[in-house]
Amino acid sequence: MQPALTMALALGALPTSLAHCWWGCHNGEYEAWWSWSCRCEAGWQGQCCEAPVCQALDVQADVDLDEWTRATWYIQEQQVTGYQPEESLYCVTATYERGTDAWVPFFSGEVIEVYNQANVGAVNGPLQNDDEQTLCARLQDESEPGKLSVAPCFLPNLLSGPYWIIAIGKDGAGKYNWAVVIGGEPTEKFSDGCTTTTAGINGAGLWLFSRTPVASEEEMTSMRAALTAQGISTSQLRQVAQTGCTYNGAYIKPS
């Protein structure tokens, strides 16, 4: 039992906020698994719950996966993660392929192959993924194509991490020309909003994608506006060097 609660019980002076929660959470509240406290559902002001620190994300519900996988994405800005430190933020690309023979243990849904590549230390430096390992994006719910989960293909879904598409831009022909992807619900709060962790693997990451190696100023403004609209911090984003990249060794699909 927490020390403050033990003392309050001993003195017969249980704080009002704890008294409300003592017999469980009320309507509009849910019990946090990591503590004894109650938290609020979105938009609810309960008697004893703690308001969520970060707003829930609006994930894209109508993603056309054929268009998503049509051409390579070039990362313009991103957060560092446990698997991609700042020294590897050069010439970063992501290419997706549907309809392959890729498979995931204990999973019968659609699997999309993911080819990630980056240079280390400099533009056109050594390849980070020099063994050309591919990942598998799993579509666990066909009704939510914007909510993918990703991991090495040999790992089951239980060990995969969220990879959510939260904003997409289209050109005049309806083709995707930019997108914002995040590694699940934000958990870290900063002065300008919330974001995912910059350490570890699952639950980490934020990426700004463009179909061209160097995005236009208009595209960058649109992506940052999309982040601001969802209360997502931009303070942890780092610039990815794309000018002068030759992408040798990377799997590139032309747009």
Side-chain angles (χ1 to χ4, degrees), residues 81-128:
T81 65
Y83 55 88
Q84 194 164 21
E86 194 153 8
E87 58 265 28
S88 66
L89 301 187
Y90 296 88
C91 310
V92 185
T93 61
T95 305
Y96 303 84
E97 195 74 78
R98 296 184 86 179
T100 71
D101 58 0
W103 64 280
V104 169
F106 316 112
F107 180 61
S108 59
E110 181 174 2
V111 175
I112 300 171
E113 281 193 285
V114 184
Y115 302 83
N116 290 331
Q117 197 51 272
N119 294 139
V120 179
V123 168
N124 302 324
L127 290 177
Q128 182 188 38

Side-chain angles (χ1 to χ4, degrees), residues 42 52-59 164 185-186 229-231:
V53 174
C54 305
Q55 74 181 66
L57 293 178
D58 181 16
V59 181
W164 295 354
E185 294 286 359
Q230 296 212 43

Side-chain angles (χ1 to χ4, degrees), residues 225-243:
L227 291 173
T228 300
Q230 296 212 43
I232 300 173
S233 170
T234 61
S235 63
Q236 303 306 298
L237 288 170
R238 300 292 179 264
Q239 184 75 36
V240 176
Q242 296 285 4
T243 301

Side-chain angles (χ1 to χ4, degrees), residues 113-117 127-135 248-251:
E113 281 193 285
V114 184
Y115 302 83
N116 290 331
Q117 197 51 272
L127 290 177
Q128 182 188 38
N129 185 19
D130 56 4
D131 59 358
E132 298 183 353
Q133 182 189 53
T134 58
L135 303 177
N248 289 334
Y251 176 31

Side-chain angles (χ1 to χ4, degrees), residues 24 59 88 106 115 121 141-142 159-160 172 189 194 204 210 231 235 238:
V59 181
S88 66
F106 316 112
Y115 302 83
D141 186 342
E142 291 184 359
L159 299 177
S160 65
K189 188 169 178 62
C194 294
S210 175
S235 63
R238 300 292 179 264

